[in-house]
Structures are given as C-alpha cells and as structure tokens.
Amino acid sequence: MKKILFSMLVVIVCVSLLLGCDNILPDHSDSPSTNETSGLGGERKYKVEILNADSFDIINELKESYAAGEKVTIQLATITEHYYLLYVNGVEQERDDLIAGDWTITAYSFIMPNEDVIIKIEDRWVDIPYPDNETGLN
C-alpha cells in the first residue's frame, strides 16, 4: 500500500512539474527587433534617436541605447526668453526640475520603454513686454 501511494505521489509531482514548465520559460512574444543591441549581461537595449539634435545645445552625453527601465536624461542649455518642448515617441514630457535647479539647464527625464524611442525637441520663444517709458506700465 505504501509503494502504491508513493508511486502515485511521484507521478503527481512529475506531472505537476511538466505542466508548470511553460510558466518558467521566458515569453518571447515581444522579442526584440533586429536593430536592438545586447548589453554585457545579455540585457536587451533599445536605441534612442533625437530627430533634430543638431539644432539644440544638448549638454550631457547620451548613450546610443538604454535598457528598458533605465532613466534617460536630456539636459539642454537654458536660454533667456525661451523654453523647450520635448516629445518621446510623440508623448510630451514634463521638465525635470530636480536636475535643473540652477536655471542654467533645462532637463527632461523619462524611463526607457521596451522599444526604440524617437525624441523630438521643439523650442518656443517668449516675448516679454517692456514697460512703457512714460507710464511704467506695459
């Protein structure tokens, strides 16, 4: 009787392990595209492309690719009467005021998604009215 119970227990454990193996294997349904590179630890990396990088003074050096979940920061030189708009894959990003504390840098940060990104930077000029000499009002 003990041998039968032990045999049944072994069969149940083996079947459970075999059925559970598909949960252990990685899911390759979102496998990387051919233009992705692999990091030192075999970690997938995704490319960053800035469409109009030559038009702006980017202060920090950017890597060509980042791992998903990695923080990407772009620092632009601050210009008086001017501000930037930065888009990652068409989505506007908020300024990162924690980095741009001294007002000489305008920074944007985002977390790298599981895909290549295209960054577009736009600049906006602001007209600051000067006071009227006679009244002191605008």
Side-chain angles (χ1 to χ4, degrees):
M1 186 66 165
K2 288 182 183 181
K3 287 184 181 182
I4 293 174
L5 286 174
F6 180 74
S7 298
M8 287 178 59
L9 182 62
V10 168
V11 169
I12 291 172
V13 169
C14 289
V15 169
S16 297
L17 287 175
L18 289 175
L19 292 176
C21 282
D22 64 336
N23 295 333
I24 296 172
L25 298 175
D27 179 19
H28 294 291
S29 62
D30 63 336
S31 61
S33 62
T34 56
N35 62 350
E36 295 170 8
T37 57
S38 181
L40 294 175
E43 191 174 80
R44 290 184 208 160
K45 294 206 172 190
Y46 301 92
K47 292 187 182 281
V48 172
E49 178 184 356
I50 301 177
L51 292 180
N52 48 355
D54 294 336
S55 302
F56 299 98
D57 186 12
I58 299 174
I59 296 171
N60 63 320
E61 185 145 344
L62 297 171
K63 299 186 284 187
E64 285 187 24
S65 59
Y66 292 83
E70 191 173 352
K71 185 176 182 179
V72 180
T73 300
I74 298 169
Q75 297 176 352
L76 301 162
T78 299
I79 302 170
T80 303
E81 300 176 5
H82 176 270
Y83 68 96
Y84 301 99
L85 297 176
L86 186 131
Y87 300 88
V88 175
N89 290 346
V91 178
E92 186 175 351
Q93 303 298 304
E94 294 292 322
R95 241 184 21 236
D96 190 340
D97 290 330
L98 296 177
I99 294 174
D102 63 359
W103 296 97
T104 61
I105 297 171
T106 301
Y108 293 88
S109 296
F110 64 94
I111 301 301
M112 189 69 180
N114 292 324
E115 62 185 358
D116 294 343
V117 298
I118 296 175
I119 297 172
K120 182 179 176 187
I121 304 169
E122 294 179 0
D123 55 350
R124 297 287 190 260
W125 294 94
V126 179
D127 289 329
I128 298 177
Y130 291 97
D132 185 7
N133 287 340
E134 291 179 20
T135 63
L137 302 174
N138 295 334

